[in-house]
Amino acid sequence: MKNKNGKKYDIAVIGGAGHVGLPLALVFASKGLKVLIHDINESSMSRIAAGKLPFIEHGAEPLLEKALKEDLLFFSTDPADISSAPALVVTIGTPVDEFHNPVHKAMKECLEPLLPHCSDNTLLVLRSTVFPGTTEWLDNYLKANGKNMHVAFCPERIVQGFAIKELQCLPQIISGTTEKAEKESAALFGMITDKLVPLKPIEAEFAKLFSNAYRYIQFATTNQFYTMTAAAGVDYHNVLEGIKKDYSRAADLPGPGFAAGPCLFKDTMQLAAFSNNQFSLGHAAMLVNEGLVMHMIGTLSKDHELENTTVGLLGMAFKADSDDIRSSLSYKMKKLLKFRVKELLTTDPHVTQDPSLLPADEVVEKSDVLVLCVPHQAYKGLDTKGKPVLDIWGFFRKPRKR
Ligand SMILES: NC(=O)c1ccc[n+]([C@@H]2O[C@H](COP(=O)([O-])OP(=O)(O)OC[C@H]3O[C@@H](n4cnc5c(N)ncnc54)[C@H](O)[C@@H]3O)[C@@H](O)[C@H]2O)c1
């Protein structure tokens, strides 16, 4: 079927201008598929159509250039344009609300305008992270509304910023509400990897959420160990190095630091909501990871009279070498410190959407004390001019002489 533009697509990525959708769209295009990016964010789509990435995504630029040159990438805000795509992959955001409960209506509101343009043969793949049971619920909802589409859930598990590489080397979990839906999803994701892991939809939903909650708990473990050693006046990084040295069972214990961003916290909270707030490990992890900010402020206040101190925050993105500030704990730190210090200054080499940011040199110059919030590689050569730096990451730490 061709749509009203006369264009025929192999696939439409719904939310395709976002952090998950865009790299996926580019990888599908790199396999020769004609990909429609359907999104409500016109300015991001115009940027992408002009060959510019709206955010840092390593390895994406050449794929974007090639896809545009080969006429494999298309853009639309009009739901009607999806009608000629036999497969839709949904990658919209699936947030939790202010009560830490999932916003169920996001998926429904996204799909409602699209449904009149789908046929019974359309493959509908949910790629966004969803609350357990959502795929089954959607299948029933569609059937109740006279749509017998093939519904699948194939979660995204990339680490943000490295999707182009990881999409093609990570195993892809696939699942479908029917054998046909699973087979079609296998054929689709089989185009980007031969490592497919078939599960039932509910299993795949849990698998995705558990992957993120497990990571979040790992960060909480190391952050709690950090605060324990700090209270004892012990350098945690020496302990960590000692534990990990030639000891494979501790190889995946991460270093301390902010565990934040658009996924780990909210996915842990989705599981908490699912289990009627009985996910005690998840809640404990939240208290530790979110509480790290208060712990750091406590450390600062022990060493400095905060009301007479200018504090500079280095790094406002949610993680190193990223430009994404969504749910960044640097902003929680900023909010809490602002009312306690003489002046608060912030800087980041990658973030572009915060007009209050200053150049790093100026922040160093004007501050009495610095807090390393994000260990961007760009700070490796930063001259901190002998100013004290609160660095829980151990980024500026010199290896211990033995
Ligand atoms: N960011 C990650 O690294 C990552 C990794 C794995 C899974 N996920 C999951 O993937 C999903 C998307 O996350 P993201 O970080 O890409 O979010 P994002 O905000 O970067 O992208 C979402 C995109 O969807 C678009 N959108 C929103 N509503 C829409 C609608 N009704 N119709 C069309 N487009 C719409 C937005 O404009 C945006 O471009 C979430 O469920 C997230 O939990 C994210």
Side-chain angles (χ1 to χ4, degrees):
M1 199 199 323
K2 285 191 176 184
N3 69 13
K4 66 179 169 19
N5 301 327
K7 289 260 190 317
K8 195 178 177 313
Y9 312 110
D10 296 308
I11 184 168
V13 181
I14 315 301
H19 291 82
V20 161
L22 180 57
L24 186 67
L26 293 176
V27 168
F28 278 131
S30 76
K31 307 297 174 192
L33 298 190
K34 277 192 185 297
V35 184
L36 173 70
I37 288 184
H38 171 83
D39 204 292
I40 51 173
N41 187 335
E42 288 189 49
S43 76
S44 271
M45 283 200 294
S46 311
R47 221 179 137 75
I48 300 164
K52 292 192 173 64
L53 293 168
F55 42 77
I56 296 175
E57 188 60 55
H58 301 285
E61 230 165 64
L63 262 59
L64 174 59
E65 197 185 323
K66 190 165 176 282
L68 292 171
K69 208 163 136 194
E70 293 177 357
D71 207 21
L72 291 171
L73 210 53
F74 304 88
F75 303 88
S76 174
T77 53
D78 182 356
D81 286 336
I82 64 148
S83 63
S84 72
L88 310 182
V89 181
V90 181
T91 64
I92 62 159
T94 47
V96 290
D97 63 16
E98 67 274 32
F99 308 110
H100 299 157
N101 291 317
V103 184
H104 293 291
K105 66 176 187 178
M107 192 57 79
K108 196 164 168 253
E109 284 178 358
C110 165
L111 291 174
E112 259 164 6
L114 303 176
L115 294 180
H117 310 287
C118 297
S119 79
D120 279 354
N121 286 323
T122 307
L123 172 67
L124 176 62
V125 180
L126 300 184
R127 184 75 168 165
S128 304
T129 306
V130 296
F131 191 74
T134 300
T135 313
E136 205 65 42
W137 167 83
L138 180 64
D139 191 48
N140 291 333
Y141 168 79
L142 292 174
K143 285 198 180 96
N145 286 280
K147 290 277 174 200
N148 290 304
M149 297 157 67
H150 311 301
V151 181
F153 175 63
C154 305
E156 182 58 85
R157 293 194 297 167
I158 51 102
V159 60
Q160 191 170 306
F162 295 90
I164 300 295
K165 182 171 161 225
E166 290 202 347
L167 273 168
Q168 296 171 93
C169 63
L170 287 185
Q172 293 292 324
I173 291 176
I174 53 150
S175 71
T177 50
T178 60
E179 215 173 290
K180 194 155 193 286
E182 186 185 308
K183 232 170 140 181
E184 289 181 3
S185 310
L188 188 63
F189 286 95
M191 296 191 72
I192 57 178
T193 179
D194 54 6
K195 289 182 271 185
L196 299 177
V197 184
L199 291 176
K200 289 181 188 156
I202 185 78
E203 293 169 344
E205 290 165 345
F206 274 120
K208 167 62 202 178
L209 289 168
F210 286 168
S211 305
N212 277 3
Y214 178 55
R215 192 84 183 122
Y216 193 64
I217 291 166
Q218 278 183 312
F219 285 127
T221 303
T222 204
N223 283 337
Q224 179 128 61
F225 290 168
Y226 167 80
T227 57
M228 279 177 183
T229 50
V234 171
D235 183 342
Y236 179 58
H237 293 279
N238 285 338
V239 180
L240 194 61
E241 251 174 45
I243 303 174
K244 293 175 76 136
K245 176 103 174 116
D246 300 331
Y247 190 65
S248 60
R249 279 192 289 278
D252 62 354
L253 181 59
F258 286 168
C263 289
L264 299 189
F265 173 77
K266 70 114 176 148
D267 289 347
T268 306
M269 289 306 104
Q270 299 221 47
L271 278 173
F274 179 79
S275 53
N276 298 324
N277 279 351
Q278 299 304 304
F279 184 21
S280 44
L281 255 183
H283 279 122
M286 173 187 75
L287 294 178
V288 174
N289 288 332
E290 292 284 307
L292 190 62
V293 176
M294 280 69 101
H295 173 87
M296 288 162 70
I297 293 174
T299 306
L300 280 178
S301 67
K302 268 188 220 140
D303 299 339
H304 307 272
E305 266 184 16
L306 289 184
E307 62 276 22
N308 298 319
T309 304
T310 297
V311 178
L313 302 186
L314 303 175
M316 300 305 289
F318 86 82
K319 68 170 184 174
D321 306 321
S322 169
D323 56 357
D324 190 348
I325 58 170
R326 290 179 296 170
S327 307
S328 166
L329 286 178
S330 302
Y331 283 90
K332 178 166 178 161
M333 175 77 109
K334 176 179 172 178
K335 198 170 169 184
L336 294 176
L337 267 182
K338 215 170 168 183
F339 296 103
R340 298 192 54 186
V341 298
K342 187 169 94 185
E343 198 178 358
L344 187 82
L345 308 172
T346 56
T347 182
D348 192 289
H350 304 301
V351 172
T352 52
Q353 70 266 52
D354 179 352
S356 70
L357 299 181
L358 297 170
D361 288 350
E362 191 179 332
V363 169
V364 171
E365 193 64 52
K366 290 182 174 164
S367 299
D368 302 309
V369 57
L370 300 164
V371 179
L372 182 69
C373 290
V374 186
H376 288 306
Q377 277 307 307
Y379 292 146
K380 265 293 173 212
L382 184 72
D383 180 1
T384 50
K385 298 195 186 307
K387 306 273 170 89
V389 184
L390 176 59
D391 169 20
I392 65 164
W393 308 84
F395 182 78
F396 292 119
R397 175 177 171 266
K398 307 252 180 311
R400 185 166 65 155
K401 287 201 182 98
R402 288 169 198 281

